Amino acid sequence: MSERAETFTLDRSHPGERLDAFLRKKYPAASRSAMQRLIEEGWITINGKPTKPTHTPRAGDVIAVVWPEARAAEARPEDIPLDIIFEDDALLVLNKPAGLVVHPAAGNEEHTLVNALLHHCRGELSGIGGVARPGIVHRLDKETSGCLVVAKNDETHIALSAQFAGRTVEKVYLAIVCGVMPRDEGNIRAAITRHPSHRKRMAVSDGGNARAAHTGYRVIERLRETTLVEALLHTGRTHQIRVHFQHLGYPVAGDLTYGQRQTKRLAELTKYEAPRVLLHAHKLAFIHPCSGKKMNFTAPWPEDFGDALKFLRR
């Protein structure tokens, strides 16, 4: 991929906002750390001069953004089987298995979805932010199974990221939660932020740093000491479904981060021991960036999810 450049002029100031945060909103496909790196390396300038990530965007600023040629990805391709629901020249939709990490990270440098995609795509990689990589537009937690869309090129990546940021993508999950929920349906509107003392956890909060979060749900089936629910994500915060159902008092079965006590109690009452967080991304719908048509996808639940339902229906 060769370098791409674009220039635009701000029509208003953005007091109290950093340049890197402003550009992250304008280009949702790129991470904030990627924007910071591009600014620090001089690929992004203000009025023809180098700038800093902390610069406050002002009316009249002429911002030039150069997307450099993508460097080779650091992750190595691996021949890992993929359950592909749909694929064309622009994107693919996967049914991600539970247990597969999406991105390489400390402790999970290999055997991730990115490693598998580097092998499968064979050069058809998004280069947003200057590093060649498969276009991971959104993520699923390691233990969550189901629908996940991947962009094969920058244009598709940017278009899909804009749909996710604009909350026009339909995301429907299935979850088996601890306890028998009395209401047939409802909405959970509770802001979420990083937990103040457990940095790998999220929490409901009304503090200034919390971000608005909205989950709609309906009960599909009441089981032994549990409930099968369908959850509709109106926002996409980290661990949103898991945090919201814990907030209601019905954490997802098998969730040892947000519902360890209830999961243990479930095993005592029913003799069923959940093998993982019983959460599945069941349906995904979005507008195809090339054809303009609405695409609807469904991922059948995996065997362990079906086994849980059979056991808890007894």
Side-chain angles (χ1 to χ4, degrees):
M1 187 191 81
S2 59
E3 293 181 4
R4 295 182 296 114
E6 55 187 298
T7 302
F8 59 93
T9 303
L10 295 184
D11 57 3
R12 64 183 182 88
S13 298
H14 295 263
E17 187 168 23
R18 292 164 49 116
L19 178 63
D20 55 357
F22 168 78
L23 291 174
R24 173 67 180 84
K25 293 178 181 177
K26 182 174 177 61
Y27 302 103
S31 67
R32 186 166 175 176
S33 61
M35 300 309 304
Q36 291 173 346
R37 180 170 52 79
L38 292 177
I39 294 170
E40 291 167 352
E41 292 179 358
W43 296 104
I44 296 175
T45 59
I46 301 289
N47 303 319
K49 299 179 180 180
T51 185
K52 296 181 179 180
T54 55
H55 173 82
T56 300
R58 300 183 179 88
D61 277 351
V62 178
I63 301 179
V65 180
V66 176
W67 300 101
E69 183 175 359
R71 303 195 305 267
E74 295 177 3
R76 293 180 297 178
E78 293 184 48
D79 187 4
I80 299 172
L82 295 173
D83 184 358
I84 298 175
I85 300 172
F86 172 85
E87 182 174 12
D88 63 13
D89 292 339
L91 56 87
L92 65 155
V93 178
L94 310 169
N95 184 3
K96 186 188 88 67
L100 181 64
V101 175
V102 173
H103 269 295
N108 290 292
E109 290 85 1
E110 299 177 326
H111 316 313
T112 71
L113 179 59
V114 164
N115 297 107
L117 289 169
L118 285 166
H119 177 271
H120 177 80
C121 291
R122 300 182 187 276
E124 296 178 325
L125 306 178
S126 166
I128 293 295
V131 178
R133 59 185 173 86
I136 302 297
V137 182
H138 64 125
R139 302 185 187 188
L140 296 178
D141 294 337
K142 177 182 178 180
E143 295 189 27
T144 302
S145 56
C147 286
L148 187 144
V149 61
V150 175
K152 288 186 174 181
N153 55 61
D154 288 358
E155 292 74 21
T156 301
H157 196 155
I158 292 169
L160 287 174
S161 294
Q163 291 185 51
F164 275 92
R167 301 179 185 177
T168 60
V169 177
E170 296 176 22
K171 297 168 285 184
V172 179
Y173 288 68
L174 293 175
I176 299 175
V177 301
C178 297
V180 180
M181 299 186 71
R183 296 185 58 184
D184 290 338
E185 59 184 27
N187 284 280
I188 311 168
R189 299 176 186 270
I192 293 174
T193 189
R194 186 71 58 182
H195 194 285
S197 55
H198 301 282
R199 301 307 297 169
K200 292 185 178 182
R201 295 178 57 182
M202 308 300 288
V204 166
S205 172
D206 56 4
N209 293 326
R211 304 178 69 187
H214 177 196
T215 304
Y217 72 89
R218 69 182 182 93
V219 170
I220 296 178
E221 185 178 356
R222 292 180 175 90
L223 309 160
R224 280 196 304 147
E225 305 297 334
T226 54
T227 307
L228 173 63
V229 297
E230 179 183 84
L232 175 63
L233 278 181
H234 295 280
T235 53
R237 309 306 179 204
T238 301
H239 298 174
Q240 179 174 316
I241 291 175
R242 298 164 63 189
V243 173
H244 270 177
F245 279 96
Q246 179 207 35
H247 180 62
L248 278 191
Y250 302 92
V252 179
D255 193 341
L256 302 184
T257 300
Y258 297 104
Q260 184 174 24
R261 178 177 59 83
Q262 293 91 334
T263 292
K264 182 179 179 181
R265 178 62 175 163
L266 174 64
E268 293 172 351
L269 293 173
T270 67
K271 307 305 180 186
Y272 174 74
E273 296 186 4
R276 64 171 176 99
V277 179
L278 292 177
L279 182 61
H280 177 68
H282 186 48
K283 297 179 180 179
L284 185 68
F286 54 84
I287 302 300
H288 195 291
C290 299
S291 69
K293 295 180 179 179
K294 186 172 183 178
M295 310 290 286
N296 295 275
F297 301 99
T298 300
W301 60 52
E303 185 176 359
D304 61 357
F305 200 96
D307 289 344
L309 291 174
K310 290 178 183 177
F311 191 99
L312 295 168
R313 281 172 176 153
R314 290 178 185 172

